[in-house]
């Protein structure tokens, strides 16, 4: 099983970056992934773009639209991933795939096998119908593909317990119910009780996202007891600005990561597929 996150001390959680494959254009993705790897980012949450997500804010929806207009689909993303994954030293790749847009018309087990073969370290299926939960978990297990599960801070106890039980890669705790890019009113530190409760239900890492924009936000996530912070809209916005201004989006995202990442020693680790 992949080790998704490395905590190197108090206030220094792991870091995951969300990016829509195809935004920037897919031929820039290898350089982007390698740059994140070099900077010590733990995980790339790589989304196969899909339209009109009700949980995404305007920044990520615009990004997905640009990627879709470039013709980015699951096959293209897997081909690209297979090309650069062997070159990564520590960065893990969790592939986010929408069930309706990318998986509904495919054989589910075969598709997960293809995702694993391309080098993904884990999979998060967006909007998976509840009736397919057991089928999905069995197929992922057969493919040797760790599952990333999600729940909200205000999800019912039974939903949080199910998400904790399903998480074999990591558990993504969404900081509040709303659209991506928005932060919880009470701050990320107020999630400590929820994180502690989830910790008693799973041995998998717990990552917290939504509204994480600054180094202070990342440190607040660490203070609530989570293993990692997930940054989405704030990083995607830097890519968008760079594209609009004719700047290098890889360099722009790299500068943003340096601005939010707590300083920590980065000892190289062997590539474990």
């Amino acid at each position: 099983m992949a080790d998704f996150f490395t905590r190197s001390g108090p206030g220094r959680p792991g870091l995951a970056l969300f990016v829509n494959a195809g935004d920037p254009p897919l031929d820039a993705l290898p350089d982007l992934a390698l740059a994140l790897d070099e900077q010590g980012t733990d995980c790339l949450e790589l989304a196969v773009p899909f339209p009109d997500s009700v949980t995404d804010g305007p920044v990520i929806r615009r990004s997905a639209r640009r990627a879709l207009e470039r013709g980015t689909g699951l096959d293209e993303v897997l081909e690209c991933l297979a090309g650069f994954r062997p070159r990564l030293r520590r960065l893990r790749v969790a592939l986010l795939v929408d069930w309706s847009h990318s998986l509904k018309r495919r054989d589910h087990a075969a598709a997960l096998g293809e995702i694993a073969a391309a080098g993904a370290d884990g999979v998060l299926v967006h909007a998976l119908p509840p009736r397919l939960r057991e089928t999905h978990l069995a197929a992922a297990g057969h493919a040797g593909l760790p599952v990333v599960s999600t729940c909200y801070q205000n999800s019912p106890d039974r939903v949080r317990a199910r998400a904790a039980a399903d998480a074999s890669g990591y558990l993504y705790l969404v900081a509040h119910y709303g659209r991506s890019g928005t932060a919880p009113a009470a701050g990320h530190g107020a999630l400590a009780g929820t994180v502690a409760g989830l910790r008693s239900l799973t041995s998998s890492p717990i990552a917290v996202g939504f509204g994480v924009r600054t180094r202070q936000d990342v440190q607040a996530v660490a203070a609530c007891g989570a293993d990692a912070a997930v940054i989405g809209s704030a990083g995607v916005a830097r890519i968008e600005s760079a594209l609009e201004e004719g700047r290098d989006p890889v360099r722009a995202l790299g500068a943003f990561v340096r601005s939010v990442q707590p300083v920590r020693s980065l000892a190289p680790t062997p590539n474990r597929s």
Side-chain angles (χ1 to χ4, degrees):
M1 183 180 295
D3 298 324
F4 274 95
F5 304 111
T6 301
R7 293 190 65 162
S8 58
R12 297 177 180 177
L15 186 65
L17 264 290
F18 170 95
V19 172
N20 268 310
D23 186 54
L26 208 56
D27 58 7
L29 181 58
D31 287 341
L32 187 151
L34 290 166
L36 292 177
D37 187 38
E38 183 66 25
Q39 289 183 273
T41 304
D42 294 286
C43 179
L44 171 61
E45 282 196 352
L46 183 63
V48 179
F50 57 96
D52 304 323
S53 169
V54 296
T55 58
D56 284 333
V59 171
I60 290 180
R61 291 180 72 154
R62 288 195 301 268
S63 172
R65 191 177 307 123
R66 289 190 296 269
L68 290 167
E69 289 172 352
R70 296 183 179 113
T72 309
L74 179 58
D75 292 334
E76 292 79 13
V77 175
L78 294 183
E79 181 180 3
C80 183
L81 174 60
F84 71 76
R85 180 62 185 84
R87 299 164 62 191
L88 301 178
R89 296 182 307 155
R90 61 171 288 148
L91 182 72
R92 301 301 182 189
V93 179
L95 198 72
L96 190 161
V97 188
D98 180 67
W99 180 80
S100 181
H101 186 74
S102 296
L103 295 180
K104 184 176 182 179
R105 294 170 181 82
R106 295 177 181 247
D107 178 274
H108 195 86
L112 293 191
E114 291 168 6
I115 291 169
D121 298 286
V123 65
L124 194 170
V125 177
H126 176 265
L128 179 75
R131 62 183 173 81
L132 297 179
R133 172 178 170 258
E134 294 298 335
T135 299
H136 172 61
L137 294 174
H142 181 73
L145 191 61
V147 169
V148 178
S149 63
T150 63
C151 65
Y152 287 93
Q153 186 272 338
N154 59 346
S155 294
D157 290 346
R158 59 179 175 77
V159 174
R160 292 203 300 256
R162 184 171 63 233
D166 291 352
S168 53
Y170 59 93
L171 173 57
Y172 183 172
L173 172 62
V174 181
H176 77 119
Y177 187 79
R179 289 191 171 182
S180 58
T182 57
H188 295 93
L191 299 172
T194 303
V195 171
L198 291 170
R199 185 78 68 196
S200 70
L201 299 173
T202 182
S203 59
S204 294
I206 299 170
V208 170
F210 270 45
V212 181
R213 304 185 186 94
T214 67
R215 180 173 291 163
Q216 290 71 31
D217 292 334
V218 172
Q219 290 170 331
V221 168
C224 82
D227 299 289
V230 182
I231 298 180
S233 295
V236 173
R238 299 312 192 278
I239 293 172
E240 181 176 60
S241 295
L243 291 172
E244 290 176 346
E245 297 167 8
R247 295 182 289 111
D248 181 357
V250 174
R251 292 173 66 90
L253 185 63
F256 171 70
V257 170
R258 287 191 294 275
S259 77
V260 300
Q261 192 171 41
V263 177
R264 60 183 182 180
S265 62
L266 301 176
T269 57
N271 184 28
R272 300 182 300 277
S273 298

